[in-house]
Amino acid sequence: MMIQLPRRLLQCFIAVVGIGLLALFVVFMALYIQMPWEKPTSFNIKHYRLYYNENNINNSLNYQQSSENELKISVKHSDLPDPSTSKYTQPHITNLNTNPSRTVPEDGTEIFITVKPTVADFFGDQYAVDDVPSQTDCPNNIRKRVPQTNFSEMFLQTIPVLQWAKHFTPEEYQRLGRYCRSFGWANVSVDVLNSSLGILNTSANRLMFDDWEQRKSRSQCIRCAVVGNGGILNGSKKGKEIDEHDYVFRVNGAVLKGFEEDVGSRTSFYTFSTNTMRNSMNNYGRLGFRGPPVSEETRYIFLPDNTRDYILIRAAATHTVIEEGPESSTIPPKYFGENVTVKNFKMYHPDFIRYLSNRFLHSSLLKIGARNIYRPTTGAVMLLAALHTCDQVDAYGYMTPNWTLFSDHYYDKKSKPVIFYANHDMRMEMKLWKQLHEAGLINLFMRN
């Protein structure tokens, strides 16, 4: 008995120690799993959007998972820095290559992100030359007025606005393959480009106003209404005036039903990327936006952001299925109606997007980490495309200096603050619209 007692004590001791270690391990794992959710220190721009509560802006910063590939920041206008000024710093932009210098404090009031400046902020200021002639003999068109304005040096008469079959060559692929996203072809394979651009081989894909010569009652000048979705249009009663133009441009979540008196009912051109169109359908479906406008006169202009746009334009134009990716299905895409043909589709040229970013909308965001995500808004591309192709341009629903008086969109059921995106410089765009208006190149709709 004297020999067996220590063995039993030893066994008990080992059992107690084992149980204790197991308990410590369980507690440690529980804390390990929980801690990352208690105080987030970084945010993936493809999965999170940041927004302030307008009613309690000083006490609430919320985080919401989002399907958007944009970082959304909604703030009071008095708290928003102006990126078009030389002293601008952007504390609310996530640089994908850096870590936050300050994390969200316990009261959740602010977040500051370290942003390293980049050396070069141009995307290559050299472009292809397009030989598309003017479609009218308008005596006082925009191109003739430009030389008498401050925009004469930055405006290129021969910039290719649209890309089509002739643009895809080995030489062009090597040149444009240096630029990513909307600015080039770096993220698009040779096979996809060849098959997608190859079908855009008609005059309708090459010319903006492909039906102009067939119109029976055409005027001497092409008059365009370019309609944004800004809240300034709510109650404007500009619908009849808009529809009386030769062509009407619209963008993204263009809700028409129920708002015809303010925004009109016609759509000649619908500008979008696959991503912005899908997001608009998700976000504004309950307000009436079920998809792109469909009519006999409607043409669809893709702003190519990535491979998805090239794949979708081919599938939609040829009525074939998409076998992979977010738009994949067992039937051809139906976004653009049953009777759509290749003649209904156009696509902006990457050179045109770079040209706008380099010369018209050369933002200070390009000098910091936002360079990796910056591009002009889809509405800005649409308006500047009209500036380069129409004879006369009237712009409606765009930001004006008194933008704080209006809701974000004309179809908002309740007034909402304007949403500012980290990958756009909307304040600089607003200043450009005012400058173009004052130069007599566009007529910008404004309200007091």
Side-chain angles (χ1 to χ4, degrees):
M1 295 296 296
M2 294 297 294
I3 298 176
Q4 294 178 352
L5 183 59
R7 290 181 180 178
R8 292 179 181 177
L9 290 176
L10 181 61
Q11 291 173 349
C12 292
F13 175 76
I14 293 174
V16 171
V17 170
I19 293 172
L21 290 174
L22 180 61
L24 288 174
F25 177 76
V26 171
V27 171
F28 173 77
M29 291 302 296
L31 291 173
Y32 178 81
I33 294 172
Q34 184 179 5
M35 284 183 63
W37 295 94
E38 293 180 344
K39 185 181 288 188
T41 57
S42 63
F43 304 92
N44 187 331
I45 201 166
K46 291 188 176 182
H47 298 286
Y48 292 90
R49 62 184 179 186
L50 280 63
Y51 65 95
Y52 287 94
N53 186 325
E54 179 71 12
N55 297 323
N56 194 13
I57 192 168
N58 293 322
N59 297 318
S60 177
L61 178 60
N62 304 307
Y63 300 87
Q64 177 178 331
Q65 280 194 335
S66 172
S67 60
E68 300 175 10
N69 288 334
E70 296 170 311
L71 181 64
K72 181 184 293 186
I73 305 170
S74 173
V75 300
K76 287 183 177 179
H77 63 87
S78 59
D79 298 325
L80 186 73
D82 187 351
S84 60
T85 60
S86 59
K87 296 181 179 179
Y88 168 71
T89 58
Q90 174 60 292
H92 298 296
I93 293 179
T94 300
N95 182 353
L96 302 183
N97 299 318
T98 59
N99 293 321
S101 58
R102 185 184 301 179
T103 59
V104 181
E106 292 181 0
D107 61 359
T109 56
E110 59 182 358
I111 176 172
F112 292 91
I113 305 297
T114 301
V115 177
K116 295 181 180 179
T118 56
V119 178
D121 59 350
F122 274 77
F123 292 100
D125 198 29
Q126 295 181 344
Y127 314 97
V129 174
D130 209 342
D131 57 357
V132 176
S134 175
Q135 294 186 247
T136 69
D137 294 322
C138 183
N140 190 33
N141 66 24
I142 292 172
R143 289 170 293 283
K144 293 176 181 177
R145 298 198 301 270
V146 164
Q148 286 76 49
T149 70
N150 293 332
F151 294 93
S152 58
E153 292 185 3
M154 68 176 67
F155 195 101
L156 293 181
Q157 302 276 359
T158 59
I159 187 72
V161 177
L162 302 174
Q163 61 175 329
W164 58 297
K166 82 154 191 178
H167 291 115
F168 181 68
T169 65
E171 294 78 17
E172 282 296 273
Y173 184 77
Q174 183 176 9
R175 180 179 70 88
L176 291 173
R178 295 179 293 171
Y179 309 111
C180 298
R181 299 178 293 113
S182 301
F183 307 109
W185 293 339
N187 304 114
V188 189
S189 71
V190 172
D191 291 339
V192 169
L193 278 171
N194 186 37
S195 62
S196 298
L197 293 184
I199 66 170
L200 303 179
N201 56 10
T202 72
S203 60
N205 310 124
R206 172 175 176 254
L207 297 173
M208 182 67 78
F209 311 108
D210 57 89
D211 67 340
W212 180 248
E213 282 72 23
Q214 287 75 46
R215 292 195 173 194
K216 295 180 180 179
S217 58
R218 61 179 184 271
S219 58
Q220 190 176 14
C221 302
I222 295 177
R223 297 176 57 249
C224 299
V226 185
V227 187
N229 298 326
I232 191 174
L233 281 174
N234 190 288
S236 67
K237 301 186 185 304
K238 287 291 179 178
K240 184 174 183 295
E241 179 181 311
I242 289 171
D243 282 344
E244 288 174 347
H245 287 74
D246 295 310
Y247 295 95
V248 180
F249 290 70
R250 300 191 193 273
V251 65
N252 292 341
V255 180
L256 300 182
K257 188 175 181 180
F259 298 93
E260 294 88 349
E261 186 178 19
D262 291 335
V263 302
S265 59
R266 289 177 53 212
T267 303
S268 311
F269 300 103
Y270 175 70
T271 287
F272 65 103
S273 70
T274 304
N275 186 56
T276 62
M277 179 190 71
R278 291 288 298 272
N279 286 343
S280 295
M281 293 171 66
N282 292 334
N283 295 334
Y284 311 125
R286 55 188 171 79
L287 300 176
F289 186 79
R290 302 286 186 252
V294 176
S295 71
E296 185 177 351
E297 76 166 314
T298 305
R299 305 293 188 264
Y300 305 97
I301 313 180
F302 278 77
L303 196 168
D305 262 340
N306 53 48
T307 301
R308 292 170 66 189
D309 299 291
Y310 291 92
I311 292 176
L312 179 58
I313 195 172
R314 175 175 174 77
T318 59
H319 297 275
T320 54
V321 301
I322 300 176
E323 297 181 353
E324 59 181 354
E327 284 70 52
S328 62
S329 67
T330 57
I331 59 175
K334 303 294 184 182
Y335 303 114
F336 313 103
E338 298 285 346
N339 301 319
V340 70
T341 70
V342 68
K343 295 182 179 180
N344 292 89
F345 293 99
K346 308 177 194 290
M347 181 173 274
Y348 290 115
H349 198 293
D351 273 358
F352 184 64
I353 312 302
R354 280 192 302 112
Y355 158 75
L356 299 183
S357 302
N358 286 336
R359 298 192 173 208
F360 286 85
L361 294 168
H362 189 69
S363 173
S364 297
L365 296 177
L366 292 170
K367 298 179 181 179
I368 58 177
R371 167 188 171 87
N372 298 324
I373 59 173
Y374 172 76
R375 74 161 173 80
T377 63
T378 311
V381 173
M382 176 178 70
L383 178 50
L384 291 170
L387 182 77
H388 284 74
T389 53
C390 303
D391 294 324
Q392 299 173 10
V393 172
D394 295 319
Y396 304 84
Y398 280 79
M399 281 187 68
T400 56
N402 60 345
W403 58 272
T404 57
L405 301 178
F406 311 106
S407 186
D408 194 3
H409 306 107
Y410 64 80
Y411 43 76
D412 292 333
K413 292 186 177 180
K414 295 181 180 180
S415 182
K416 296 180 180 179
V418 173
I419 302 297
F420 288 85
Y421 291 90
N423 58 340
H424 301 313
D425 193 339
M426 294 172 62
R427 285 211 173 199
M428 189 178 71
E429 291 182 4
M430 176 187 66
K431 292 182 179 181
L432 176 62
W433 312 146
K434 187 171 183 291
Q435 292 167 354
L436 290 170
H437 175 79
E438 292 172 346
L441 298 180
I442 69 171
N443 179 38
L444 179 65
F445 172 61
M446 294 182 280
R447 294 172 71 177
N448 294 325

